[in-house]
Amino acid sequence: MSETKYLLFLGCVIPYRLSSYEISTRKVLAKLGVDVVEMPEFNCCGYPMDSVNHDLMLTLAARNLCVAEKQGLEILALCNGCFCSLNETNKMLKEDKELREKINGYLKEINMEFKGTTEVKHLVHVLAEDVRFEKIKNAVKRPLTNLYVAQHSGCHLVRPTKFVEHGDDPENPKMLKDLIKLTGAECVDYQDEARCCGNPIIGVNEEVPFEMAREKLDHMRVAKAEAMITVCPFCHLMFDLNQPRIEKTFNEKFEMPVLHYPQLLGLAMGFSPEELALNTLRVKPVKLLEKLRTN
Amino acid sequence: MTYEEKSVSSKFSDEIRHRLGGETIAFCYQCGTCASSCPVAKVTDKYNPREIIKLSLLGARKEIVAGDTIWLCCSCYNCQERCPQEVEIADVIYTLRNIAIQEGNVPDIYVAFAEGISNEGRIVPVSKFAEKKREEYGLPPIKPANMDALRKILQATSFSKIQFKKGEAQ
C-alpha cells in the first residue's frame, strides 16, 4: 500500500492529558512517511456515552465517521476506546440497514449522512498492516538489544472480535508483541497478558482497578520486564500516572516505566528521549535510559 | 417465593431483549464461564456477571437497576468472547446501564461526562493552560467541537431529557 495518509483522531484524553503519546506518534509516523491530517471539529468518540445512551454513542461516533467520509480518508485512532466505538459503529451501521436509517435520522438534523465509505484503524494496525514490518525494521537505527519489556495491548484493540477483524488473538494478542520485537527489544511473556488495566471503572470504584493493575504490574515484575509498553491513553494513565498511588496503597515498589509504543520505536529509530517526551512520564525511565546509553 | 421458583422469562428480561445490545440475554444457561473469566470478579465479591444475568432473567428489575453492581463491569469483553452460548454479556450490561440511567441511577462520573459532552462535546474540558502546553510542545491547536451540531444531536437522541443530578459532579 503506497497511499499512507490518515485522518488523525486524537480523542478527548490525549491532546490535554497525554501529550507524550501524541508527540511520539507524530515523530515516528512522519519519519516512516505516514501523513496525518488533523481531524476538523471532532467530538467525543462516543465510548463514554455508551453506558448513558446507546443511540447517543452511535450518533456521536457516526458524526465523526461522516467527517472522515467527507474528507475521503480513513481514521487513525490512538486510543483503544476511540478505536472501539468508531470501528464498532462503522461496522454496525454498514451491516444493519435499519439501524443505519435510525442513526441517519438523527444525523439529518445536522445535514449529515452516514454512507459507509471509510475505515477505522488503530495505530497498531496502521503500523503492522499498512506501513508493514519491513519498512519499520529498516527505520531502526539503534536496536534496543538486551532490553526486556512487557506488552499491554489493552482490551478494545483486540476485543470484541465480532467487530475487530484484524486477526489478532483476543486471549493472547501478538500484533503489538511483533511490533516490539522490531525495535530489537525482547518482549517477555507474563501471566494474564490479555487482562484489563481496570481504568474503565476507576470513576466508580478505585479499590478494584488498583488491585487489577497491581496484579498486572506484579506479573510483569516476575517476568523481569524493565518497562511496560502500552497503546492506549487509559491503560497508560492507569499504570503510569497511578503507579505511585498503587504502590502506596499496597505498600509495594514497582518503579515500572510505562512507555507508549511509539516512544519505544522512536528510541530505536534514533530519536532522543526528549524528542519523544520521555521526560514527561510519571515513572521516570532512568535505569532504562542508562542501560540504553551503555548498550 | 425465591427467585429460583419463578420462571426464567420475566417482564424485565423481555424489556432487555427488545433493546439494542440486550438481544442475547435469554441464551444464558448459567454455566459461570463469564464469572470465572472476569478480572473484576477475581478481585472483588461485589461483582459477578453470572449473577447479574440471572437476576435480570428472573425479573429482579429494581435490584439491578437501582443497585451498584452493573457499574463495576470494566467492559473488557473477556466474558463475551468466552461465553459458550454467545450471550453478549458486556453489551447486555451496557443496556442495563442505559435503563438504570433512564430511571435516575447515574453515578457521579457519568454526570461529569454528560456535562462535558453538553458543554464542549468532549469529556476532557479545554483549558488555556493545556492549550499553552500544546503550543510549547509544538503541537497544533485543538479546534473546539461543533457545538451547534452537537446540541441538535443531543436533542434528537433524547439525551437532553435525561435527568442528571446537576451539581454533584464536581
Side-chain angles (χ1 to χ4, degrees):
Chain A
M1 186 169 166
S2 58
E3 179 67 6
T4 41
K5 189 172 171 182
Y6 305 88
L7 203 53
L8 182 64
F9 190 85
L10 291 169
C12 302
V13 175
I14 296 168
Y16 295 130
R17 294 194 62 195
L18 219 50
S19 299
S20 51
Y21 193 16
E22 184 182 344
I23 292 167
S24 53
T25 298
R26 287 183 189 271
K27 288 260 158 60
V28 163
L29 289 182
K31 195 113 185 213
L32 289 169
V34 178
D35 282 342
V36 292
V37 175
E38 306 306 318
M39 177 107 183
E41 291 188 345
F42 73 90
N43 53 260
C44 166
C45 69
Y47 177 75
M49 287 293 111
D50 208 8
S51 296
V52 176
N53 179 324
H54 200 59
D55 279 5
L56 176 63
M57 173 267 178
L58 290 167
T59 313
L60 287 172
R63 188 190 166 274
N64 288 318
L65 293 166
C66 289
V67 172
E69 287 182 353
K70 223 168 155 182
Q71 303 255 327
L73 290 169
E74 293 181 342
I75 288 180
L76 160 54
L78 304 183
C79 166
N80 283 8
C82 296
F83 166 72
C84 178
S85 60
L86 295 174
N87 182 56
E88 175 178 326
T89 304
N90 200 28
K91 295 259 152 66
M92 282 174 91
L93 297 189
K94 278 183 187 181
E95 283 161 20
D96 187 338
K97 192 169 168 262
E98 211 175 300
L99 186 65
R100 183 170 68 240
E101 277 168 8
K102 185 182 182 189
I103 301 303
N104 271 336
Y106 299 138
L107 291 170
K108 211 173 165 199
E109 302 279 330
I110 55 169
N111 300 317
M112 278 184 151
E113 188 193 355
F114 174 88
K115 295 195 178 75
T117 56
T118 191
E119 289 295 332
V120 182
K121 289 171 177 171
H122 186 284
L123 175 68
V124 165
H125 307 132
V126 166
L127 290 172
E129 293 174 343
D130 295 353
V131 178
R132 305 261 181 125
F133 291 172
E134 203 183 318
K135 194 165 183 185
I136 299 171
K137 214 171 175 176
N138 290 337
V140 169
K141 304 290 173 225
R142 277 202 321 230
L144 310 174
T145 32
N146 212 17
L147 185 70
Y148 292 80
V149 303
Q151 70 88 23
H152 173 82
S153 295
C155 299
H156 299 139
L157 181 67
V158 292
R159 293 185 296 270
T161 46
K162 68 171 170 168
F163 296 122
V164 184
E165 293 168 331
H166 296 266
D168 210 350
D169 184 344
E171 300 277 349
N172 189 16
K174 294 193 176 63
M175 219 176 250
L176 178 57
K177 251 182 177 167
D178 290 340
L179 286 171
I180 287 171
K181 287 175 192 162
L182 295 176
T183 68
E186 297 284 341
C187 192
V188 301
D189 297 329
Y190 66 96
Q191 191 183 331
D192 295 328
E193 275 184 49
R195 194 177 283 169
C196 177
C197 67
N199 195 324
I201 52 171
I202 202 160
V204 265
N205 177 312
E206 218 167 60
E207 263 169 63
V208 172
F210 270 23
E211 172 59 21
M212 288 164 73
R214 186 204 67 81
E215 268 195 20
K216 277 212 92 156
L217 285 164
D218 190 42
H219 294 329
M220 287 178 217
R221 181 171 59 184
V222 169
K224 305 221 179 321
E226 294 164 287
M228 169 182 189
I229 309 302
T230 63
V231 284
C232 168
F234 289 101
C235 303
H236 192 275
L237 290 170
M238 192 67 212
F239 290 111
D240 182 55
L241 191 75
N242 283 324
Q243 198 177 130
R245 290 183 59 210
I246 293 167
E247 288 179 330
K248 209 174 158 192
T249 305
F250 299 100
N251 197 21
E252 285 201 62
K253 271 274 175 242
F254 293 105
E255 292 171 335
M256 179 77 72
V258 189
L259 273 63
H260 311 289
Y261 175 71
Q263 289 185 314
L264 186 82
L265 178 59
L267 287 171
M269 287 167 72
F271 288 106
S272 72
E274 292 72 30
E275 283 176 298
L276 301 163
L278 262 83
N279 51 325
T280 67
L281 297 175
R282 181 75 168 81
V283 181
K284 302 294 173 204
V286 181
K287 280 187 202 157
L288 183 146
L289 292 176
E290 232 173 67
K291 188 168 181 180
L292 292 181
R293 261 195 303 272
T294 53
N295 236 350
Chain B
M1 189 161 53
T2 64
Y3 288 122
E4 281 71 17
E5 288 166 317
K6 290 186 188 169
S7 156
V8 286
S9 168
S10 64
K11 222 171 127 190
F12 186 38
S13 69
D14 285 342
E15 179 187 352
I16 298 162
R17 268 196 312 122
H18 288 104
R19 291 181 74 124
L20 188 64
E23 300 92 337
T24 57
I25 186 168
F27 302 156
C28 174
Y29 55 30
Q30 288 289 300
C31 68
T33 302
C34 52
S36 58
S37 302
C38 178
V40 176
K42 189 172 184 295
V43 301
T44 179
D45 293 338
K46 290 180 196 156
Y47 181 79
N48 182 328
R50 175 186 172 206
E51 199 67 16
I52 290 175
I53 301 289
K54 185 175 93 180
L55 291 175
S56 301
L57 285 171
L58 293 170
R61 192 177 197 279
K62 199 175 162 201
E63 193 170 342
I64 291 295
V65 166
D68 298 331
T69 55
I70 51 171
W71 303 102
L72 284 176
C73 168
C74 68
S75 69
C76 74
Y77 288 94
N78 253 356
C79 56
Q80 193 156 321
E81 291 298 329
R82 293 181 186 175
C83 176
Q85 284 293 89
E86 298 183 0
V87 178
E88 294 178 341
I89 304 153
D91 294 338
V92 169
I93 289 172
Y94 275 121
T95 301
L96 293 170
R97 288 177 177 179
N98 276 208
I99 297 171
I101 282 192
Q102 256 178 3
E103 311 266 313
N105 176 10
V106 191
D108 288 350
I109 185 71
Y110 290 98
V111 180
F113 286 166
E115 281 183 352
I117 300 288
S118 306
N119 297 333
E120 304 195 38
R122 298 173 194 150
I123 59 164
V124 178
V126 178
S127 74
K128 285 222 169 79
F129 174 78
E131 271 303 336
K132 197 149 190 306
K133 271 252 176 256
R134 288 186 62 80
E135 210 181 309
E136 278 171 30
Y137 290 140
L139 295 170
I142 297 292
K143 297 205 182 89
N146 183 337
M147 284 314 295
D148 283 346
L150 285 182
R151 274 186 206 106
K152 286 180 187 157
I153 287 177
L154 299 180
Q155 283 279 338
T157 54
S158 301
F159 172 82
S160 310
K161 287 187 205 147
I162 298 170
Q163 294 292 311
F164 291 103
K165 298 169 284 180
K166 289 277 177 203
E168 288 184 24
Q170 304 306 316

